[in-house]
Amino acid sequence: MPKGHLPVKSYLAVPVVSPITKEPIGGLFFGHSKAGVFTADAEKLIEGVAIQAAIALSNARFFEEKKQTERILSEQREQYRSIFNATSDSAIIYDENGYIVEANPSACSIFDYEYEDLIGRHASALFKNPQDFEVLKEIALSGRVYKGVNTRIRKDGSQFEAEYKGLSFIFRGKPHVLSVVRDETTKLKAEEALHRNEELTNIITSVSPVTLWLTNSKGEIIYFNKTWEDWIGGQAHQH
């Protein structure tokens, strides 16, 4: 034997193999200083121990993988919920019978409902024509995507034009539909407000007694106000 090595004269090695994947996990190794110690009975006994060890290690690995999967799923759920809640469009999920099971803050704001009032309500209540909802629901549940523009109703009965899109998905073994709605009225008002702001900005910069100009990264003038033109004289391209 090498210097310092235990005086092994009997040796028994048994592989530890996963009972599910048949993947080698490791082995059990035994040595003894006397010859002929390990018999056939000892080998069978150690094989039984190896099987128990394989089951225990496989269960431990499975449990760790399960915890890792749960952590990943939990992180993904948080990410999806953050996106779901952050979008400015109404996002409502209803079940195969048309009852709302989830809604984001924008849905509550656009339809003017408290969250508790929306959950459990039939989604057709948000349509000017409830029959339109039934048609769209059947389209989604058939596996197709629906989209278009129609009239929706808020809690107070006021109506607005909505751009919508919906699709089905399976949740806990049952079909559900995600319906996304954008208030076209709000969109148009926002565009009008932006246009008015641009006009107001142009007016302010034009009458400003201070010279104002804007250049690009190359130093080329891409905007100047009337005061700047009057002060230097001529057009911008001449300077």
Side-chain angles (χ1 to χ4, degrees):
M1 303 299 295
K3 184 178 181 180
H5 197 285
L6 294 174
V8 177
K9 294 184 179 180
S10 292
Y11 190 75
L12 176 62
V14 179
V16 178
V17 180
S18 169
I20 300 174
T21 64
K22 306 304 179 184
E23 171 193 3
I25 300 175
L28 297 178
F29 305 92
F30 300 89
H32 202 280
S33 59
K34 295 181 180 180
V37 170
F38 299 112
T39 63
D41 289 339
E43 183 178 354
K44 290 180 181 179
L45 178 63
I46 298 304
E47 285 177 347
V49 174
I51 292 173
Q52 295 300 318
I55 293 173
L57 290 171
S58 295
N59 287 341
R61 180 180 294 180
F62 174 75
F63 182 69
E64 184 59 34
E65 290 175 351
K66 182 174 179 291
K67 288 199 300 182
Q68 178 66 15
T69 300
E70 289 175 347
R71 283 196 295 268
I72 294 173
L73 289 176
S74 177
E75 291 173 359
Q76 290 178 341
R77 280 195 295 268
E78 288 301 318
Q79 291 174 353
Y80 295 150
R81 178 163 291 280
S82 296
I83 296 172
F84 183 78
N85 289 334
T87 178
S88 59
D89 295 334
S90 163
I92 289 176
I93 297 174
Y94 56 85
D95 62 20
E96 58 187 329
N97 297 315
Y99 291 97
I100 298 172
V101 298
E102 189 56 275
N104 69 346
S106 293
C108 299
S109 175
I110 290 175
F111 288 99
D112 197 25
Y113 280 89
E114 295 295 329
Y115 176 80
E116 294 76 11
D117 293 336
L118 267 181
I119 302 304
R121 185 177 296 273
H122 201 272
S124 62
L126 308 179
F127 284 69
K128 177 181 179 181
N129 183 0
Q131 188 58 36
D132 289 347
F133 168 74
E134 295 298 332
V135 172
L136 295 177
K137 177 169 71 73
E138 292 305 316
I139 292 174
L141 293 178
S142 69
R144 293 174 290 167
V145 175
Y146 66 72
K147 59 182 177 179
V149 177
N150 63 11
T151 304
R152 300 296 177 94
I153 298 180
R154 300 185 182 91
K155 182 179 181 180
D156 62 4
S158 61
Q159 302 177 8
F160 65 94
E161 290 301 302
E163 180 183 358
Y164 62 85
K165 185 174 183 179
L167 73 163
S168 65
F169 63 97
I170 301 298
F171 178 66
R172 293 180 178 174
K174 293 184 178 181
H176 288 70
V177 177
L178 170 62
S179 175
V180 178
V181 169
R182 176 172 299 170
D183 185 348
E184 284 293 290
T185 305
T186 303
K187 178 183 175 183
L188 291 174
K189 287 181 179 179
E191 291 176 349
E192 291 173 359
L194 179 60
H195 182 65
R196 287 197 299 270
N197 286 340
E198 290 177 347
E199 291 180 340
L200 181 60
T201 299
N202 289 333
I203 292 173
I204 292 174
T205 56
S206 295
V207 300
S208 172
V210 179
T211 58
L212 301 172
W213 70 92
L214 183 66
T215 65
N216 58 21
S217 59
K218 298 179 180 179
E220 299 169 340
I221 296 177
I222 57 175
Y223 171 81
F224 60 92
N225 68 347
K226 186 69 167 53
T227 304
W228 189 91
E229 182 179 352
D230 294 340
W231 183 59
I232 67 168
Q235 300 296 319
H237 68 271
Q238 296 174 339
H239 302 274

